[in-house]
Amino acid sequence: MTLVAGVDSSTQSTKIVVCEVADGTIVRTAAAPHPDGTAVDPEAWWGALRTAAGGGLLDGVAAISVAGQQHGLVALDAAGQTVRPALLWNDVRSADDAADLVAELGAATWATATGSVPTASFTVTKLRWLARHEPANAARTRSALLPHDWLTWRLAGGGPAPDERPDLPATTDRGDASGTGYWSPAAGEYRPDLVERALGHPLELPRVAAPCEVVGEAARLAPPGALLAPGTGDNMAAALGLAPLPGDVIVSLGTSGTIFTASEAATHDEAGLVAGFADATGRFLPLVCTLNAARVLATVADLLGVSPDGFDALALGARPGAGGLTLLPFLDGERTPNLPRSRGLLAGLSRGNFSRENLARAAVEGVLCGLAAGVDALRQHGVEARRALLVGGGARSLAVRAIAPAVLGLPVALPDPGREWVAIGAARQAAWALSGAAAPPDWPVAADLVAAEPDPATRAAFADVLAGVLPLLRRERESE
């Protein structure tokens, strides 16, 4: 039995799965938490990886791959030391810098150059923020890695300590590189001019490896000689794990909400709703992201003083439309629409409808309406959406699973919500690199299918509330 390992270094935790190469059967798993916050010392991720890999978890593993949260900036100096805590994808302090960069070149130029119009999530905007607010740290910065790049580099022996190699070349992959804002998915190359525009000086950037390339051997944690695959971003790894069919759109409810699919063609959305990413197989991954997903449900459940099961019971106890309550779930700002400083809004309150059940239902419907708008945005760029694959921590909610088909307006396939699809996708990439084959191994994905009549009334109510407050939210953004 040949084993491979996949790592998911997400916003909240490190998760590892060890799988059989032949069919993806999971034989061992482990996890360790990350500290909360939008700026984190990367050593916390390394510590979590070491903790999760302890106790012989990686014994017998022949190859390993790391998938990581996209967009994060790990700035390193010439000695391989981190210059400051890493800025994560959900850190919106660079909102003004994103707006400035877009204004300098124009949205159309950015979309053509990099496939995406940068928002506060993108790495390039964090470089501009660093140059503007921490010029001394910007001057020290000699290389910029993404979270998965940095962890792969550490596994290979890179690092600033005396027994480590600060000069070890780092690698990345096209999927994660496409979320930086300075790599072109269509051309397959970096745009160093955009790096200099943002930071003020050139950087050493990690080499972009081929999708199934072996980029080195593990020097730590894994068995001697274990091969390192390139790794990728978390959304790209989820797509690898789920292996979507033509017409499938993946809808993920994690810390953020993401809607994406595999595509043969690159996209360029000047409006900035659809990010034109690359995937981890040589194709493309058009993606829409919302900042608010599973945490909204947890926040409302805490407010109501109920467990997740209790929250589901309340939400399913209300009728569609939540009695006229509509929640704009922008609790942490929002990326789609691009309103990084916005806040949530509960609309339609009356003495007759303000119940625990309706509030719970409005939370579920609000999150799903935001995701459904993402499906619509993908359709506008030529994506065929016949079925949604519902995954992520929020997909464990019975209420989400029951309500999603009506709000999304699509049949919903429900892969096992207990499986870590990002880590499984990373493991599948490791198996692919180990095999050297032309395509990833065929690992089966079982999924129940749920359908329902579409619920256009709930979608329309959400759109009406958003349209009513959008001018105010935009004015608030411009005035800060």
Side-chain angles (χ1 to χ4, degrees):
M1 178 172 64
T2 304
L3 301 177
V4 292
V7 176
D8 172 13
S9 182
S10 70
T11 313
Q12 299 181 60
S13 65
T14 291
K15 297 171 282 286
I16 304 176
V17 298
V18 176
C19 301
E20 293 184 20
V21 165
D23 58 6
T25 297
I26 297 174
V27 297
R28 295 191 292 270
T29 66
H34 292 171
D36 198 12
T38 63
V40 175
D41 183 348
E43 288 295 335
W45 307 332
W46 180 245
L49 179 57
R50 292 173 64 92
T51 297
L57 183 84
L58 299 180
D59 287 355
V61 165
I64 185 169
S65 172
V66 179
Q69 51 184 305
Q70 288 187 251
H71 306 305
L73 170 62
V74 183
L76 301 180
D77 65 14
Q81 294 276 5
T82 53
V83 168
R84 67 166 335 276
L87 296 176
L88 307 190
W89 64 273
N90 55 349
D91 191 304
V92 298
R93 72 183 72 185
S94 62
D96 290 340
D97 305 286
D100 288 348
L101 287 168
V102 173
E104 288 169 16
L105 295 180
T109 297
W110 281 101
T112 301
T114 68
S116 304
V117 179
T119 66
S121 294
F122 282 70
T123 317
V124 70
T125 72
K126 302 177 194 308
L127 290 176
R128 171 61 68 87
W129 181 90
L130 191 67
R132 179 177 292 180
H133 293 276
E134 298 180 356
N137 283 337
R140 283 182 56 205
T141 300
R142 289 293 173 265
S143 64
L145 304 185
L146 297 163
H148 111 258
D149 309 341
W150 186 82
L151 286 166
T152 303
W153 181 67
R154 294 300 301 274
L155 280 169
D163 61 339
E164 296 172 333
R165 293 181 55 193
D167 60 339
L168 182 69
T171 58
T172 190
D173 89 302
R174 61 193 300 277
D176 217 1
S178 67
T180 60
Y182 46 79
W183 188 83
S184 167
E189 60 188 19
Y190 282 116
R191 289 290 305 267
D193 58 313
L194 299 179
V195 173
E196 290 195 51
R197 172 175 289 275
L199 187 64
H201 65 80
L203 286 177
E204 289 183 26
L205 298 172
R207 181 179 66 84
V208 180
C212 62
E213 181 181 339
V214 174
V215 299
E217 295 185 359
R220 302 186 183 89
L221 303 186
L227 303 181
L228 292 174
T232 191
D234 51 2
N235 294 300
M236 296 77 192
L240 261 180
L242 290 160
L245 301 172
D248 283 349
V249 174
I250 298 169
V251 178
S252 176
L253 286 85
T255 303
S256 65
T258 50
I259 312 96
F260 55 98
T261 190
S263 172
E264 299 296 332
T267 57
H268 307 85
D269 180 14
E270 296 179 18
L273 294 179
V274 178
F277 295 149
D279 80 344
T281 70
R283 296 181 293 171
F284 301 92
L285 196 87
L287 180 147
V288 179
C289 179
T290 69
L291 286 185
N292 301 277
R295 282 180 171 176
V296 174
L297 310 181
T299 297
V300 175
D302 288 345
L303 174 67
L304 294 170
V306 294
S307 67
D309 289 344
F311 174 83
D312 286 341
L314 288 173
L316 293 173
R319 294 181 58 81
L325 286 188
T326 298
L327 177 67
L328 297 186
F330 304 163
L331 305 191
D332 290 315
E334 190 45 80
R335 174 169 163 179
T336 306
N338 183 26
L339 299 166
R341 295 189 181 91
S342 63
R343 290 295 178 260
L345 174 69
L346 184 63
L349 282 171
S350 72
R351 285 187 295 112
N353 68 11
F354 195 23
S355 68
R356 290 158 57 83
E357 290 82 2
N358 283 335
L359 180 56
R361 177 113 191 176
V364 175
E365 290 179 345
V367 168
L368 289 172
C369 281
L371 296 170
V375 175
D376 291 345
L378 289 180
R379 283 192 173 113
Q380 291 171 8
H381 287 270
V383 171
E384 183 181 18
R386 295 200 303 257
R387 183 178 74 155
L389 301 179
L390 195 66
V391 297
R396 294 186 175 95
S397 163
L398 293 179
V400 168
R401 293 156 73 89
I403 297 169
V407 176
L408 295 177
L410 291 170
V412 171
L414 301 169
D416 182 352
R419 291 171 73 85
E420 300 292 349
W421 292 107
V422 173
I424 290 169
R428 189 169 178 235
Q429 187 195 63
W432 187 16
L434 184 66
S435 72
D442 186 11
W443 289 1
V445 177
D448 297 327
L449 190 66
V450 179
E453 286 296 317
D455 181 8
T458 296
R459 290 284 313 278
F462 183 91
D464 286 346
V465 171
L466 179 57
V469 300
L470 201 52
L472 176 61
L473 294 174
R474 284 178 172 152
R475 282 199 300 271
E476 288 178 349
R477 179 184 69 179
E478 292 167 0
S479 66
E480 293 187 11

Short mmCIF file of all heavy atoms in Angstrom, two decimals, residues 10 83 201 220 298 362 378 384 416:
data_model
loop_
_atom_site.label_atom_id
_atom_site.label_comp_id
_atom_site.label_asym_id
_atom_site.label_seq_id
_atom_site.Cartn_x
_atom_site.Cartn_y
_atom_site.Cartn_z
N SER A 10 -5.35 26.24 6.49
CA SER A 10 -6.43 27.19 6.23
C SER A 10 -6.31 28.37 7.20
O SER A 10 -5.37 28.47 7.99
CB SER A 10 -7.78 26.50 6.40
OG SER A 10 -8.01 26.20 7.77
N VAL A 83 9.53 39.47 7.78
CA VAL A 83 9.67 40.90 8.04
C VAL A 83 8.62 41.38 9.03
O VAL A 83 8.88 42.28 9.84
CB VAL A 83 9.59 41.68 6.71
CG1 VAL A 83 9.42 43.17 6.94
CG2 VAL A 83 10.81 41.39 5.85
N HIS A 201 10.08 48.39 -5.47
CA HIS A 201 11.34 47.75 -5.89
C HIS A 201 11.06 46.30 -6.27
O HIS A 201 10.04 45.73 -5.88
CB HIS A 201 12.40 47.86 -4.79
CG HIS A 201 12.07 47.11 -3.53
ND1 HIS A 201 12.26 45.75 -3.39
CD2 HIS A 201 11.60 47.55 -2.33
CE1 HIS A 201 11.90 45.38 -2.16
NE2 HIS A 201 11.50 46.46 -1.51
N ARG A 220 12.11 17.68 6.60
CA ARG A 220 11.55 17.65 7.95
C ARG A 220 10.18 16.98 7.92
O ARG A 220 9.49 16.96 6.91
CB ARG A 220 11.36 19.06 8.50
CG ARG A 220 12.60 19.92 8.58
CD ARG A 220 12.22 21.23 9.28
NE ARG A 220 13.33 22.16 9.34
CZ ARG A 220 13.59 23.05 8.39
NH1 ARG A 220 12.82 23.11 7.33
NH2 ARG A 220 14.61 23.88 8.53
N ALA A 298 -22.69 30.74 12.55
CA ALA A 298 -22.24 30.51 13.93
C ALA A 298 -22.54 31.72 14.80
O ALA A 298 -22.92 31.57 15.97
CB ALA A 298 -20.74 30.20 13.93
N ALA A 362 -33.34 33.66 8.03
CA ALA A 362 -32.80 34.81 7.30
C ALA A 362 -31.28 34.74 7.19
O ALA A 362 -30.70 35.14 6.18
CB ALA A 362 -33.23 36.11 7.96
N LEU A 378 -20.74 33.94 -12.56
CA LEU A 378 -20.01 32.97 -13.38
C LEU A 378 -20.74 32.71 -14.70
O LEU A 378 -20.11 32.60 -15.76
CB LEU A 378 -19.84 31.66 -12.62
CG LEU A 378 -18.87 31.66 -11.43
CD1 LEU A 378 -18.82 30.27 -10.79
CD2 LEU A 378 -17.47 32.07 -11.86
N GLU A 384 -21.19 27.22 -17.64
CA GLU A 384 -22.43 26.46 -17.60
C GLU A 384 -22.62 25.90 -16.19
O GLU A 384 -21.73 25.21 -15.68
CB GLU A 384 -22.39 25.33 -18.61
CG GLU A 384 -23.67 24.53 -18.70
CD GLU A 384 -23.59 23.39 -19.69
OE1 GLU A 384 -22.46 22.99 -20.05
OE2 GLU A 384 -24.65 22.89 -20.08
N ASP A 416 -19.70 14.09 1.01
CA ASP A 416 -19.61 13.91 2.46
C ASP A 416 -19.07 15.18 3.12
O ASP A 416 -17.91 15.56 2.90
CB ASP A 416 -18.68 12.73 2.76
CG ASP A 416 -18.56 12.42 4.24
OD1 ASP A 416 -19.07 13.21 5.06
OD2 ASP A 416 -17.96 11.39 4.58
#
